Amino acid sequence: MTEIVEKLYKTGDLSDSELKSLIECGDEKTAELLRKYADETRQKHYGKKVFLRGLIEVSSYCKNDCLYCGLRRSNKNAERYRLSREEILSCCETGYELGFRTFVMQGGEDSSFTDDFMCSLISEIRQKYPDCAITLSLGERSYESYKRMKDAGADRYLLRHEAACGELYSKLHPSEMSLENRKNCLKNLKELGYQTGAGFMVGAPYQTTENIIEDLRFLQELQPQMIGIGPFISHHDTEFAECENGSLYLTLRLLGIIRLMFPKVLLPATTALGTINPQGRELGLKTGCNVVMPNLSPVKVRKKYDLYDNKICTGEESAECRGCLERRVNSAGYEIVSERGDFIK
Ligand code: 5AD
Ligand code: FES
């Protein structure tokens, strides 16, 4: 199996059958080699730097009904909130003082966040913090909406494709959502000049190795600047309540593979990875990740942004994620920097 890792390291690609054997390989020596090459590759392009993204969870209202997500509209037990303009600006102020140079405004698909509201907010943040990047993660919107927000000053957009295989996509989403539209949104975002992030959950219900290979092929076609992957984690109020969580080791293998296939990509060690294992994010950083996304949301709403069970960084103790993550990043042997952390061309 180590020859396959060598080949991936040297050429940045593998055949489908080689990918399949590597994705399914539980061998420790292979995992260690993959980790070593993934780390070498990230260090070649980004050194020991880890970029911070301050995550502001702006709304837990969502008009969508994705079967895996705790915020799905049919979850009547979900507690809903939306942050006001002032609250969001105050998160940015706190974040800036803590050294954040990217703000990520993420939320469910909430129609209260109109283009007018968003554009005026984005312009104000752009003006107040000219040295910061503004990232949006607000789901599927029209070309016109993406364009207006880009013109107002947004730089990046995160929209996971979730599943590149139509059959799997439709098992994870209600019938009114389509993979075609999702892909179209991603195409529009790239065309408009956003640094674009796509990605998927690892170990989602019904997901096969072939599905994962299709995800990787889709990412090769799209060439996003960011790739977000994390383990699927069940939520007690969804139809997938009884499904098994994605595995730490499969997620780490995929992070390593992604780093070697996309040497310069911005790759976060996600909160979900830190949720399934207390050392998950540190292990991610050692396996090619170069981004962490501490929670900047007001502590009083954190528990309500309840995508999956046992999400970390939601308790009182987490009021200062920045410090916690800094210690974690240092313990893994890397260094947090106070920079925008743009994609390097
Ligand atoms: N487990 C893991 N990740 C999830 N997401 C939503 N629900 C879950 C879950 N149960 C991810 C989706 C979405 C991102 C914001 O969170 O991939 O794109
Ligand atoms: Fe959020 Fe540790 S990173 S509490």
Side-chain angles (χ1 to χ4, degrees):
M1 197 60 63
T2 53
E3 335 70 72
I4 295 188
V5 181
E6 297 284 349
K7 179 178 169 191
L8 177 58
Y9 176 59
K10 287 199 188 101
T11 69
D13 203 4
L14 291 175
S15 69
D16 284 4
S17 67
E18 289 166 331
L19 270 177
K20 183 172 164 75
S21 34
L22 185 54
I23 292 169
E24 292 178 351
C25 171
D27 171 45
E28 243 175 68
K29 247 175 75 187
T30 308
E32 180 48 30
L33 189 67
L34 183 60
R35 193 204 62 69
K36 181 176 148 241
Y37 282 150
D39 189 46
E40 237 173 80
T41 304
R42 75 87 85 201
Q43 293 211 33
K44 177 170 163 212
H45 297 292
Y46 291 99
K48 301 241 179 227
K49 285 184 185 179
V50 174
F51 302 120
L52 283 177
R53 315 300 193 204
L55 185 63
I56 309 171
E57 296 158 332
V58 295
S59 173
S60 71
Y61 285 89
C62 191
K63 69 170 164 54
N64 272 342
D65 212 21
C66 307
L67 274 68
Y68 44 83
C69 182
L71 299 184
R72 61 196 307 241
R73 68 162 187 267
S74 56
N75 181 9
K76 301 294 178 241
N77 296 327
E79 287 186 67
R80 309 292 174 173
Y81 73 89
R82 74 173 58 89
L83 299 183
S84 67
R85 176 192 179 91
E86 291 67 36
E87 285 172 311
I88 297 172
L89 287 168
S90 134
C91 291
C92 295
E93 198 178 316
T94 312
Y96 192 86
E97 282 163 22
L98 289 168
F100 292 84
R101 293 299 175 266
T102 295
F103 305 119
V104 182
M105 288 182 268
Q106 181 174 86
E109 292 193 14
D110 179 351
S111 41
S112 294
F113 285 82
T114 60
D115 294 347
D116 286 341
F117 176 85
M118 283 312 303
C119 288
S120 142
L121 176 61
I122 292 165
S123 312
E124 181 162 352
I125 299 174
R126 170 56 51 247
Q127 196 205 338
K128 278 195 168 139
Y129 307 101
D131 54 337
C132 291
I134 301 174
T135 303
L136 305 174
S137 180
L138 302 169
E140 297 179 5
R141 299 171 77 106
S142 67
Y143 181 92
E144 197 45 41
S145 167
Y146 288 152
K147 180 165 185 346
R148 283 190 59 195
M149 296 194 293
K150 182 80 181 48
D151 293 341
D155 304 279
R156 310 187 187 131
Y157 205 103
L158 306 175
L159 181 70
R160 290 189 179 177
H161 65 280
E162 310 294 0
C165 161
E167 204 184 310
L168 178 60
Y169 190 92
S170 60
K171 286 182 184 157
L172 301 177
H173 299 96
S175 55
E176 71 270 15
M177 286 178 74
S178 83
L179 176 59
E180 196 194 339
N181 193 49
R182 176 79 32 157
K183 286 185 171 173
N184 202 34
C185 286
L186 285 164
K187 194 184 113 239
N188 290 343
L189 289 164
K190 274 212 90 181
E191 199 177 295
L192 285 163
Y194 281 97
Q195 290 177 45
T196 304
F200 57 95
M201 292 179 295
V202 177
Y206 310 112
Q207 186 186 56
T208 63
T209 304
E210 283 68 25
N211 293 145
I212 295 175
I213 295 170
E214 226 175 306
D215 287 320
L216 296 173
R217 296 299 179 215
F218 171 71
L219 292 169
Q220 282 181 316
E221 199 183 298
L222 180 72
Q223 288 296 323
Q225 286 86 6
M226 290 97 73
I227 297 177
I229 68 162
F232 160 77
I233 302 174
S234 66
H235 185 288
H236 60 280
D237 277 326
T238 63
E239 276 167 53
F240 296 151
E242 304 302 325
C243 294
E244 229 181 279
N245 291 344
S247 105
L248 170 69
Y249 292 105
L250 176 57
T251 308
L252 291 174
R253 278 204 296 286
L254 285 168
L255 286 169
I257 291 171
I258 288 172
R259 172 55 67 206
L260 296 181
M261 288 176 90
F262 306 90
K264 296 181 179 173
V265 82
L266 294 160
L267 188 62
T270 56
T271 306
L273 188 57
T275 298
I276 53 160
N277 186 289
Q279 288 289 311
R281 287 171 298 180
E282 289 85 333
L283 291 167
L285 291 170
K286 291 179 179 172
T287 318
C289 292
N290 59 344
V291 170
V292 290
M293 303 177 71
N295 199 328
L296 251 190
S297 310
V299 174
K300 66 168 203 249
V301 305
R302 286 190 191 183
K303 283 219 186 306
K304 300 183 189 171
Y305 200 78
D306 192 23
L307 303 173
Y308 46 77
D309 287 345
N310 306 313
K311 189 165 164 255
I312 53 168
C313 303
T314 64
E316 289 302 324
E317 82 294 345
S318 70
E320 225 268 72
C321 264
R322 158 80 219 245
C324 174
L325 259 179
E326 174 135 39
R327 287 188 293 280
R328 289 169 179 274
V329 167
N330 292 342
S331 80
Y334 303 91
E335 158 203 14
I336 282 187
V337 292
S338 185
E339 297 174 16
R340 278 174 56 117
D342 285 299
F343 181 75
I344 46 173
K345 291 235 175 63

